[in-house]
Amino acid sequence: MSASLDHFAATKLDALEARTLRRRLVETDRFDTVEVRRNGRTLISFCCNDYLNLSHHPRVIAAAKEATDRYGTGSGASRLVTGNHPLFAELETRLAKLKQAEDCVIFGSGYLANLGIIPSLTGAGDLILADELSHSCLLAGTKLSGAASHIFRHNDLAHAEALLAAHRGSAKHCLILTDGVFSMDGDLAPVMELAALANKYDAWLMTDDAHGIGVVGEGRGSSFVTGAKADVPLQMGTLSKAIGSYGGYLCASKPVVDFIRTRARTLIYSTGLPPASVAAALAALDVIEENPDYAALPVKKANLFTRALNLPSAESPIVPLIIGEAEATLKASAMLEAEGFLVTGIRPPTVPAGTARLRFTFTAEHKDEDIARLAALVRERVLPRKAAE
């Protein structure tokens, strides 16, 4: 009965292998803030999204343990049944305050958040515009919504406005989607300008700040990079990067959050986050708010690297080095691993064809001397090969 299924899967895998696009899980022991054990070796990781290393912070770990002792290992049910343990309200209040919003709702993950929020707010007869480099879950939520959708060129305000001028009049509601910090490129969205554009055309701007909260805008995220808060009515993000825990959230007005709580399928039909995850996020917020200089370190470390290689200044902890083809990218990654650094190669479809890259991420605990040694390897052994191809 399963022969045709196995044949289908094997054929697909062979085709991916031939294009150097097959993916494999590699067991990785993150035993330290920046060091990992993989394939029997200890490596310095420059590819983790734990930008503030808070997943290993003693206060964060202690909070998770205490919550597990008090509430158990799991929440037991959907939040709308019995899974809404007391820690949720505390975290939602804290996040709303951080983001200068009226209210907040916590989801099981960032992906679940976007798959729930977007179809709840838009449907047939509505319009969605999305930046072409928006995260996969924003685009997946768009498809689930049933709304008409258009993609605007990356960070291209003129193109976004042209699409609004052409299509906004025929739509009942309009949603504009963008990453706040783009996960594969590390650049920032022009959030302030997009907010003004959204207001001009009676559209709702939603930012995915998964890679912004905790590390840009003095820890508040991409809506705050200019100092004053941009007029973003829908601030979505995750707790799994700089916050060092797990989960997703939406900060918005109280009516919007109440509506999402009662309509988002990925909230209604998913078990609530374990108490340990919520407690860890609360403790992480304490660390971030008490140590603004520490929260600024990942971007500073990234700029040590870009200056050493004469690359454009980093706007976030993420620095891409585009190699081009997948095979060459994997070879560069393997060379760095042999030298003691873990830097994962990113290939299509995560990034557009022809733009496979090394994605370097920097954290507060990276040592300057390790960054210098990494930059020297890239300068001497990656860039010359890239230039020759």
PDB file of all heavy atoms in Angstrom, residues 329-354:
ATOM      1  N   THR A 329      28.210  27.330  -1.194  1.00  0.00           N
ATOM      2  CA  THR A 329      27.854  27.777   0.148  1.00  0.00           C
ATOM      3  C   THR A 329      28.124  26.683   1.175  1.00  0.00           C
ATOM      4  O   THR A 329      28.679  26.946   2.252  1.00  0.00           O
ATOM      5  CB  THR A 329      26.380  28.204   0.190  1.00  0.00           C
ATOM      6  OG1 THR A 329      26.171  29.262  -0.750  1.00  0.00           O
ATOM      7  CG2 THR A 329      25.978  28.665   1.576  1.00  0.00           C
ATOM      8  N   LEU A 330      27.759  25.455   0.846  1.00  0.00           N
ATOM      9  CA  LEU A 330      27.992  24.350   1.770  1.00  0.00           C
ATOM     10  C   LEU A 330      29.486  24.078   1.945  1.00  0.00           C
ATOM     11  O   LEU A 330      29.935  23.715   3.035  1.00  0.00           O
ATOM     12  CB  LEU A 330      27.275  23.093   1.278  1.00  0.00           C
ATOM     13  CG  LEU A 330      25.741  23.138   1.322  1.00  0.00           C
ATOM     14  CD1 LEU A 330      25.165  21.773   0.966  1.00  0.00           C
ATOM     15  CD2 LEU A 330      25.229  23.584   2.692  1.00  0.00           C
ATOM     16  N   LYS A 331      30.260  24.263   0.898  1.00  0.00           N
ATOM     17  CA  LYS A 331      31.710  24.093   1.010  1.00  0.00           C
ATOM     18  C   LYS A 331      32.314  25.141   1.945  1.00  0.00           C
ATOM     19  O   LYS A 331      33.192  24.837   2.758  1.00  0.00           O
ATOM     20  CB  LYS A 331      32.360  24.178  -0.373  1.00  0.00           C
ATOM     21  CG  LYS A 331      32.124  22.943  -1.244  1.00  0.00           C
ATOM     22  CD  LYS A 331      32.804  23.100  -2.592  1.00  0.00           C
ATOM     23  CE  LYS A 331      32.597  21.850  -3.454  1.00  0.00           C
ATOM     24  NZ  LYS A 331      33.220  22.005  -4.807  1.00  0.00           N
ATOM     25  N   ALA A 332      31.849  26.373   1.823  1.00  0.00           N
ATOM     26  CA  ALA A 332      32.343  27.427   2.705  1.00  0.00           C
ATOM     27  C   ALA A 332      31.962  27.143   4.155  1.00  0.00           C
ATOM     28  O   ALA A 332      32.760  27.334   5.080  1.00  0.00           O
ATOM     29  CB  ALA A 332      31.794  28.780   2.267  1.00  0.00           C
ATOM     30  N   SER A 333      30.735  26.669   4.360  1.00  0.00           N
ATOM     31  CA  SER A 333      30.283  26.317   5.706  1.00  0.00           C
ATOM     32  C   SER A 333      31.127  25.191   6.289  1.00  0.00           C
ATOM     33  O   SER A 333      31.518  25.223   7.464  1.00  0.00           O
ATOM     34  CB  SER A 333      28.804  25.918   5.664  1.00  0.00           C
ATOM     35  OG  SER A 333      28.355  25.480   6.920  1.00  0.00           O
ATOM     36  N   ALA A 334      31.438  24.189   5.452  1.00  0.00           N
ATOM     37  CA  ALA A 334      32.244  23.056   5.910  1.00  0.00           C
ATOM     38  C   ALA A 334      33.661  23.494   6.260  1.00  0.00           C
ATOM     39  O   ALA A 334      34.265  23.004   7.226  1.00  0.00           O
ATOM     40  CB  ALA A 334      32.270  21.972   4.836  1.00  0.00           C
ATOM     41  N   MET A 335      34.223  24.415   5.482  1.00  0.00           N
ATOM     42  CA  MET A 335      35.558  24.917   5.783  1.00  0.00           C
ATOM     43  C   MET A 335      35.577  25.619   7.136  1.00  0.00           C
ATOM     44  O   MET A 335      36.475  25.387   7.969  1.00  0.00           O
ATOM     45  CB  MET A 335      36.009  25.892   4.686  1.00  0.00           C
ATOM     46  CG  MET A 335      37.399  26.480   4.891  1.00  0.00           C
ATOM     47  SD  MET A 335      37.475  27.918   6.013  1.00  0.00           S
ATOM     48  CE  MET A 335      36.555  29.132   5.057  1.00  0.00           C
ATOM     49  N   LEU A 336      34.581  26.456   7.404  1.00  0.00           N
ATOM     50  CA  LEU A 336      34.527  27.156   8.684  1.00  0.00           C
ATOM     51  C   LEU A 336      34.344  26.168   9.837  1.00  0.00           C
ATOM     52  O   LEU A 336      34.945  26.336  10.912  1.00  0.00           O
ATOM     53  CB  LEU A 336      33.397  28.183   8.667  1.00  0.00           C
ATOM     54  CG  LEU A 336      33.608  29.384   7.732  1.00  0.00           C
ATOM     55  CD1 LEU A 336      32.363  30.262   7.706  1.00  0.00           C
ATOM     56  CD2 LEU A 336      34.820  30.207   8.157  1.00  0.00           C
ATOM     57  N   GLU A 337      33.536  25.130   9.609  1.00  0.00           N
ATOM     58  CA  GLU A 337      33.351  24.123  10.661  1.00  0.00           C
ATOM     59  C   GLU A 337      34.657  23.405  10.957  1.00  0.00           C
ATOM     60  O   GLU A 337      34.982  23.130  12.125  1.00  0.00           O
ATOM     61  CB  GLU A 337      32.270  23.128  10.253  1.00  0.00           C
ATOM     62  CG  GLU A 337      31.962  22.112  11.337  1.00  0.00           C
ATOM     63  CD  GLU A 337      30.718  21.289  11.060  1.00  0.00           C
ATOM     64  OE1 GLU A 337      29.881  21.732  10.248  1.00  0.00           O
ATOM     65  OE2 GLU A 337      30.584  20.208  11.667  1.00  0.00           O
ATOM     66  N   ALA A 338      35.428  23.104   9.926  1.00  0.00           N
ATOM     67  CA  ALA A 338      36.722  22.455  10.138  1.00  0.00           C
ATOM     68  C   ALA A 338      37.659  23.335  10.959  1.00  0.00           C
ATOM     69  O   ALA A 338      38.535  22.828  11.669  1.00  0.00           O
ATOM     70  CB  ALA A 338      37.361  22.124   8.786  1.00  0.00           C
ATOM     71  N   GLU A 339      37.458  24.647  10.883  1.00  0.00           N
ATOM     72  CA  GLU A 339      38.282  25.600  11.636  1.00  0.00           C
ATOM     73  C   GLU A 339      37.691  25.936  13.006  1.00  0.00           C
ATOM     74  O   GLU A 339      38.211  26.796  13.710  1.00  0.00           O
ATOM     75  CB  GLU A 339      38.462  26.879  10.822  1.00  0.00           C
ATOM     76  CG  GLU A 339      39.236  26.688   9.530  1.00  0.00           C
ATOM     77  CD  GLU A 339      40.700  26.355   9.770  1.00  0.00           C
ATOM     78  OE1 GLU A 339      41.204  26.661  10.860  1.00  0.00           O
ATOM     79  OE2 GLU A 339      41.331  25.778   8.869  1.00  0.00           O
ATOM     80  N   GLY A 340      36.564  25.277  13.357  1.00  0.00           N
ATOM     81  CA  GLY A 340      36.006  25.447  14.695  1.00  0.00           C
ATOM     82  C   GLY A 340      34.821  26.380  14.807  1.00  0.00           C
ATOM     83  O   GLY A 340      34.409  26.715  15.924  1.00  0.00           O
ATOM     84  N   PHE A 341      34.231  26.794  13.672  1.00  0.00           N
ATOM     85  CA  PHE A 341      33.088  27.709  13.697  1.00  0.00           C
ATOM     86  C   PHE A 341      31.869  27.059  13.044  1.00  0.00           C
ATOM     87  O   PHE A 341      31.980  26.465  11.956  1.00  0.00           O
ATOM     88  CB  PHE A 341      33.405  29.003  12.946  1.00  0.00           C
ATOM     89  CG  PHE A 341      34.496  29.820  13.574  1.00  0.00           C
ATOM     90  CD1 PHE A 341      35.758  29.891  13.000  1.00  0.00           C
ATOM     91  CD2 PHE A 341      34.264  30.513  14.752  1.00  0.00           C
ATOM     92  CE1 PHE A 341      36.766  30.646  13.580  1.00  0.00           C
ATOM     93  CE2 PHE A 341      35.264  31.268  15.349  1.00  0.00           C
ATOM     94  CZ  PHE A 341      36.519  31.330  14.762  1.00  0.00           C
ATOM     95  N   LEU A 342      30.737  27.194  13.675  1.00  0.00           N
ATOM     96  CA  LEU A 342      29.494  26.691  13.101  1.00  0.00           C
ATOM     97  C   LEU A 342      28.732  27.859  12.475  1.00  0.00           C
ATOM     98  O   LEU A 342      28.243  28.747  13.180  1.00  0.00           O
ATOM     99  CB  LEU A 342      28.638  26.020  14.184  1.00  0.00           C
ATOM    100  CG  LEU A 342      27.323  25.401  13.700  1.00  0.00           C
ATOM    101  CD1 LEU A 342      27.576  24.313  12.659  1.00  0.00           C
ATOM    102  CD2 LEU A 342      26.529  24.828  14.873  1.00  0.00           C
ATOM    103  N   VAL A 343      28.674  27.870  11.145  1.00  0.00           N
ATOM    104  CA  VAL A 343      27.950  28.892  10.384  1.00  0.00           C
ATOM    105  C   VAL A 343      27.161  28.148   9.314  1.00  0.00           C
ATOM    106  O   VAL A 343      27.737  27.649   8.340  1.00  0.00           O
ATOM    107  CB  VAL A 343      28.892  29.921   9.733  1.00  0.00           C
ATOM    108  CG1 VAL A 343      28.072  30.998   9.021  1.00  0.00           C
ATOM    109  CG2 VAL A 343      29.822  30.543  10.767  1.00  0.00           C
ATOM    110  N   THR A 344      25.874  28.072   9.483  1.00  0.00           N
ATOM    111  CA  THR A 344      25.055  27.269   8.593  1.00  0.00           C
ATOM    112  C   THR A 344      24.866  27.951   7.244  1.00  0.00           C
ATOM    113  O   THR A 344      24.635  29.158   7.171  1.00  0.00           O
ATOM    114  CB  THR A 344      23.677  27.008   9.232  1.00  0.00           C
ATOM    115  OG1 THR A 344      23.866  26.351  10.486  1.00  0.00           O
ATOM    116  CG2 THR A 344      22.814  26.139   8.332  1.00  0.00           C
ATOM    117  N   GLY A 345      24.937  27.164   6.178  1.00  0.00           N
ATOM    118  CA  GLY A 345      24.628  27.665   4.847  1.00  0.00           C
ATOM    119  C   GLY A 345      23.121  27.691   4.633  1.00  0.00           C
ATOM    120  O   GLY A 345      22.428  26.716   4.940  1.00  0.00           O
ATOM    121  N   ILE A 346      22.610  28.787   4.130  1.00  0.00           N
ATOM    122  CA  ILE A 346      21.178  28.942   3.879  1.00  0.00           C
ATOM    123  C   ILE A 346      20.937  28.833   2.373  1.00  0.00           C
ATOM    124  O   ILE A 346      21.544  29.561   1.586  1.00  0.00           O
ATOM    125  CB  ILE A 346      20.656  30.296   4.397  1.00  0.00           C
ATOM    126  CG1 ILE A 346      21.025  30.470   5.884  1.00  0.00           C
ATOM    127  CG2 ILE A 346      19.159  30.403   4.191  1.00  0.00           C
ATOM    128  CD1 ILE A 346      20.390  29.477   6.814  1.00  0.00           C
ATOM    129  N   ARG A 347      20.043  27.927   1.980  1.00  0.00           N
ATOM    130  CA  ARG A 347      19.810  27.644   0.571  1.00  0.00           C
ATOM    131  C   ARG A 347      18.349  27.856   0.201  1.00  0.00           C
ATOM    132  O   ARG A 347      17.486  27.936   1.071  1.00  0.00           O
ATOM    133  CB  ARG A 347      20.192  26.188   0.282  1.00  0.00           C
ATOM    134  CG  ARG A 347      21.654  25.866   0.506  1.00  0.00           C
ATOM    135  CD  ARG A 347      21.879  24.360   0.566  1.00  0.00           C
ATOM    136  NE  ARG A 347      21.416  23.785   1.822  1.00  0.00           N
ATOM    137  CZ  ARG A 347      21.239  22.474   2.026  1.00  0.00           C
ATOM    138  NH1 ARG A 347      21.489  21.622   1.059  1.00  0.00           N
ATOM    139  NH2 ARG A 347      20.833  22.025   3.201  1.00  0.00           N
ATOM    140  N   PRO A 348      18.051  27.935  -1.112  1.00  0.00           N
ATOM    141  CA  PRO A 348      16.653  27.983  -1.537  1.00  0.00           C
ATOM    142  C   PRO A 348      15.915  26.733  -1.045  1.00  0.00           C
ATOM    143  O   PRO A 348      16.542  25.676  -0.896  1.00  0.00           O
ATOM    144  CB  PRO A 348      16.744  27.996  -3.070  1.00  0.00           C
ATOM    145  CG  PRO A 348      18.111  28.563  -3.348  1.00  0.00           C
ATOM    146  CD  PRO A 348      18.979  28.037  -2.240  1.00  0.00           C
ATOM    147  N   PRO A 349      14.620  26.805  -0.755  1.00  0.00           N
ATOM    148  CA  PRO A 349      13.743  27.958  -1.000  1.00  0.00           C
ATOM    149  C   PRO A 349      13.695  28.970   0.148  1.00  0.00           C
ATOM    150  O   PRO A 349      12.905  29.896   0.102  1.00  0.00           O
ATOM    151  CB  PRO A 349      12.377  27.291  -1.168  1.00  0.00           C
ATOM    152  CG  PRO A 349      12.443  26.117  -0.245  1.00  0.00           C
ATOM    153  CD  PRO A 349      13.857  25.619  -0.322  1.00  0.00           C
ATOM    154  N   THR A 350      14.529  28.785   1.181  1.00  0.00           N
ATOM    155  CA  THR A 350      14.539  29.763   2.268  1.00  0.00           C
ATOM    156  C   THR A 350      14.933  31.140   1.757  1.00  0.00           C
ATOM    157  O   THR A 350      14.438  32.161   2.232  1.00  0.00           O
ATOM    158  CB  THR A 350      15.500  29.310   3.379  1.00  0.00           C
ATOM    159  OG1 THR A 350      15.115  28.001   3.817  1.00  0.00           O
ATOM    160  CG2 THR A 350      15.465  30.260   4.562  1.00  0.00           C
ATOM    161  N   VAL A 351      15.841  31.158   0.794  1.00  0.00           N
ATOM    162  CA  VAL A 351      16.256  32.411   0.136  1.00  0.00           C
ATOM    163  C   VAL A 351      16.056  32.230  -1.366  1.00  0.00           C
ATOM    164  O   VAL A 351      15.972  31.102  -1.856  1.00  0.00           O
ATOM    165  CB  VAL A 351      17.720  32.763   0.455  1.00  0.00           C
ATOM    166  CG1 VAL A 351      17.884  33.104   1.930  1.00  0.00           C
ATOM    167  CG2 VAL A 351      18.661  31.617   0.068  1.00  0.00           C
ATOM    168  N   PRO A 352      15.976  33.326  -2.136  1.00  0.00           N
ATOM    169  CA  PRO A 352      15.747  33.199  -3.575  1.00  0.00           C
ATOM    170  C   PRO A 352      16.859  32.432  -4.277  1.00  0.00           C
ATOM    171  O   PRO A 352      18.010  32.407  -3.829  1.00  0.00           O
ATOM    172  CB  PRO A 352      15.690  34.662  -4.058  1.00  0.00           C
ATOM    173  CG  PRO A 352      15.301  35.446  -2.852  1.00  0.00           C
ATOM    174  CD  PRO A 352      15.930  34.740  -1.698  1.00  0.00           C
ATOM    175  N   ALA A 353      16.512  31.794  -5.388  1.00  0.00           N
ATOM    176  CA  ALA A 353      17.488  31.047  -6.184  1.00  0.00           C
ATOM    177  C   ALA A 353      18.656  31.962  -6.551  1.00  0.00           C
ATOM    178  O   ALA A 353      18.477  33.132  -6.889  1.00  0.00           O
ATOM    179  CB  ALA A 353      16.825  30.501  -7.442  1.00  0.00           C
ATOM    180  N   GLY A 354      19.862  31.399  -6.458  1.00  0.00           N
ATOM    181  CA  GLY A 354      21.053  32.159  -6.792  1.00  0.00           C
ATOM    182  C   GLY A 354      21.578  33.032  -5.679  1.00  0.00           C
ATOM    183  O   GLY A 354      22.570  33.750  -5.873  1.00  0.00           O
TER     184      GLY A 354
END
